[in-house]
Short mmCIF file of all heavy atoms in Angstrom, two decimals:
data_model
loop_
_atom_site.label_atom_id
_atom_site.label_comp_id
_atom_site.label_asym_id
_atom_site.label_seq_id
_atom_site.Cartn_x
_atom_site.Cartn_y
_atom_site.Cartn_z
N PRO O 37 112.20 74.58 138.75
CA PRO O 37 112.48 73.66 139.85
C PRO O 37 113.23 74.39 140.96
O PRO O 37 113.82 75.44 140.73
CB PRO O 37 113.36 72.59 139.21
CG PRO O 37 113.97 73.26 138.03
CD PRO O 37 112.98 74.29 137.58
N LYS O 38 113.21 73.84 142.14
CA LYS O 38 113.90 74.44 143.28
C LYS O 38 115.35 73.95 143.31
O LYS O 38 115.60 72.76 143.32
CB LYS O 38 113.21 74.03 144.59
CG LYS O 38 111.73 74.35 144.63
CD LYS O 38 111.49 75.81 144.88
CE LYS O 38 110.04 76.11 145.15
NZ LYS O 38 109.22 76.35 144.01
N VAL O 39 116.30 74.89 143.30
CA VAL O 39 117.72 74.54 143.39
C VAL O 39 118.41 75.51 144.33
O VAL O 39 118.02 76.67 144.45
CB VAL O 39 118.44 74.58 142.02
CG1 VAL O 39 117.88 73.52 141.09
CG2 VAL O 39 118.33 75.94 141.37
N ASP O 40 119.42 75.03 145.04
CA ASP O 40 120.24 75.91 145.87
C ASP O 40 121.22 76.62 144.96
O ASP O 40 121.83 76.00 144.09
CB ASP O 40 121.01 75.09 146.91
CG ASP O 40 120.10 74.44 147.93
OD1 ASP O 40 119.04 75.01 148.22
OD2 ASP O 40 120.46 73.36 148.41
N PRO O 41 121.41 77.94 145.14
CA PRO O 41 122.30 78.68 144.26
C PRO O 41 123.78 78.42 144.57
O PRO O 41 124.33 79.00 145.50
CB PRO O 41 121.91 80.14 144.53
CG PRO O 41 121.38 80.14 145.92
CD PRO O 41 120.76 78.79 146.13
N LEU O 42 124.40 77.53 143.81
CA LEU O 42 125.81 77.18 144.03
C LEU O 42 126.66 77.34 142.78
O LEU O 42 127.86 77.10 142.82
CB LEU O 42 125.91 75.71 144.48
CG LEU O 42 125.18 75.33 145.76
CD1 LEU O 42 125.21 73.82 145.94
CD2 LEU O 42 125.80 76.02 146.95
N GLY O 43 126.06 77.69 141.65
CA GLY O 43 126.79 77.74 140.39
C GLY O 43 127.88 78.78 140.38
O GLY O 43 127.77 79.84 141.00
N LYS O 44 128.96 78.47 139.64
CA LYS O 44 130.06 79.42 139.51
C LYS O 44 130.67 79.29 138.11
O LYS O 44 130.54 78.24 137.47
CB LYS O 44 131.11 79.18 140.59
CG LYS O 44 131.78 77.83 140.52
CD LYS O 44 132.69 77.60 141.72
CE LYS O 44 133.40 76.28 141.69
NZ LYS O 44 132.59 75.11 141.39
N PRO O 45 131.32 80.35 137.62
CA PRO O 45 131.97 80.25 136.31
C PRO O 45 132.93 79.07 136.28
O PRO O 45 133.63 78.79 137.26
CB PRO O 45 132.72 81.58 136.20
CG PRO O 45 131.94 82.52 137.06
CD PRO O 45 131.48 81.67 138.22
N GLY O 46 132.94 78.37 135.16
CA GLY O 46 133.85 77.24 134.99
C GLY O 46 133.29 75.89 135.37
O GLY O 46 133.96 74.87 135.16
N ASP O 47 132.08 75.82 135.90
CA ASP O 47 131.51 74.52 136.28
C ASP O 47 131.46 73.55 135.11
O ASP O 47 131.58 72.34 135.30
CB ASP O 47 130.10 74.69 136.85
CG ASP O 47 130.07 75.16 138.29
OD1 ASP O 47 131.11 75.07 138.98
OD2 ASP O 47 129.00 75.63 138.72
N PHE O 48 131.28 74.06 133.88
CA PHE O 48 131.20 73.19 132.71
C PHE O 48 132.53 73.10 131.95
O PHE O 48 132.58 72.54 130.85
CB PHE O 48 130.11 73.66 131.75
CG PHE O 48 128.76 73.08 132.06
CD1 PHE O 48 127.81 73.84 132.72
CD2 PHE O 48 128.44 71.78 131.71
CE1 PHE O 48 126.56 73.30 133.02
CE2 PHE O 48 127.20 71.23 132.00
CZ PHE O 48 126.25 72.01 132.66
N ASP O 49 133.63 73.58 132.53
CA ASP O 49 134.92 73.51 131.83
C ASP O 49 135.33 72.07 131.50
O ASP O 49 136.01 71.83 130.50
CB ASP O 49 136.03 74.19 132.64
CG ASP O 49 135.96 75.71 132.58
OD1 ASP O 49 135.09 76.24 131.83
OD2 ASP O 49 136.75 76.36 133.27
N PHE O 50 134.93 71.11 132.30
CA PHE O 50 135.25 69.70 132.03
C PHE O 50 134.74 69.25 130.67
O PHE O 50 135.26 68.32 130.07
CB PHE O 50 134.66 68.78 133.11
CG PHE O 50 133.16 68.62 133.04
CD1 PHE O 50 132.60 67.59 132.30
CD2 PHE O 50 132.32 69.52 133.68
CE1 PHE O 50 131.22 67.45 132.22
CE2 PHE O 50 130.94 69.38 133.61
CZ PHE O 50 130.38 68.34 132.87
N LEU O 51 133.73 69.92 130.16
CA LEU O 51 133.07 69.53 128.91
C LEU O 51 133.79 70.07 127.67
O LEU O 51 133.56 69.59 126.57
CB LEU O 51 131.63 70.03 128.95
CG LEU O 51 130.59 69.41 128.04
CD1 LEU O 51 130.54 67.90 128.19
CD2 LEU O 51 129.23 70.03 128.31
N THR O 52 134.68 71.03 127.85
CA THR O 52 135.37 71.64 126.72
C THR O 52 136.25 70.62 126.00
O THR O 52 136.99 69.88 126.63
CB THR O 52 136.22 72.84 127.20
OG1 THR O 52 135.34 73.82 127.75
CG2 THR O 52 137.01 73.45 126.06
#
Side-chain angles (χ1 to χ4, degrees):
K38 305 283 190 273
V39 295
D40 294 329
L42 301 171
K44 63 187 181 313
D47 281 343
F48 272 102
D49 284 356
F50 73 92
L51 200 54
T52 297

